Amino acid sequence: QLQLVESGGGLVQPGGSLRVSCAASGFTLDYYAIGWFRQAPGKEREGVSCISSSENSTYYADSVKGRFTISRDNAKNTVYLQMNSLKPEDTAVYYCAACEGGYCSGHVCYDAIAYWGQGTQVTVSS
């Protein structure tokens, strides 16, 4: 079965850190750009970050730049999103997506999304 599975979400205090993971099964992530998206209650899904396939170029939304870091470990077929200095407004369900073509358009996929993960909840609250 071809799927992406996110993990690592949870409850963290403002200013804290969390790392979420996106693991692929049934296919290799090597040839895909990977995007992280999030959706807060009552809001539209928004792009957060993207990492390209071959060059490993990284891109971030202005709202997370300097606080979040995206990385990939092709040997583990996994992409990570390290989130530091978390704020209450970062609270959302975080989704990863595999982008066709391997390229990012800024912090979102350049081409169509081939696979979505099921999402992991991140809650930033004291």
Side-chain angles (χ1 to χ4, degrees), residues 95-114:
Y95 300 89
C96 64
C99 318
E100 296 278 6
Y103 296 99
C104 302
S105 176
H107 60 276
V108 296
C109 298
Y110 177 78
D111 212 326
I113 291 175

Side-chain angles (χ1 to χ4, degrees), residues 30-118:
D30 292 23
Y31 307 109
Y32 293 89
I34 303 298
W36 280 99
F37 298 77
R38 66 186 181 186
Q39 187 166 19
K43 295 188 176 181
E44 292 187 356
R45 190 172 297 189
E46 62 175 356
V48 173
S49 182
C50 186
I51 184 167
S52 65
S53 60
S54 56
E55 299 88 7
N56 282 342
S57 300
T58 58
Y59 306 88
Y60 302 92
D62 287 344
S63 58
V64 306
K65 201 171 294 182
R67 300 187 298 121
F68 289 12
T69 302
I70 190 172
S71 62
R72 65 194 303 156
D73 184 340
N74 287 344
K76 294 184 178 180
N77 216 21
T78 300
V79 172
Y80 305 97
L81 186 68
Q82 176 68 44
M83 303 182 290
N84 299 328
S85 302
L86 282 161
K87 305 174 181 180
E89 52 263 44
D90 294 318
T91 295
V93 179
Y94 283 72
Y95 300 89
C96 64
C99 318
E100 296 278 6
Y103 296 99
C104 302
S105 176
H107 60 276
V108 296
C109 298
Y110 177 78
D111 212 326
I113 291 175
Y115 308 102
W116 281 101
Q118 84 290 349

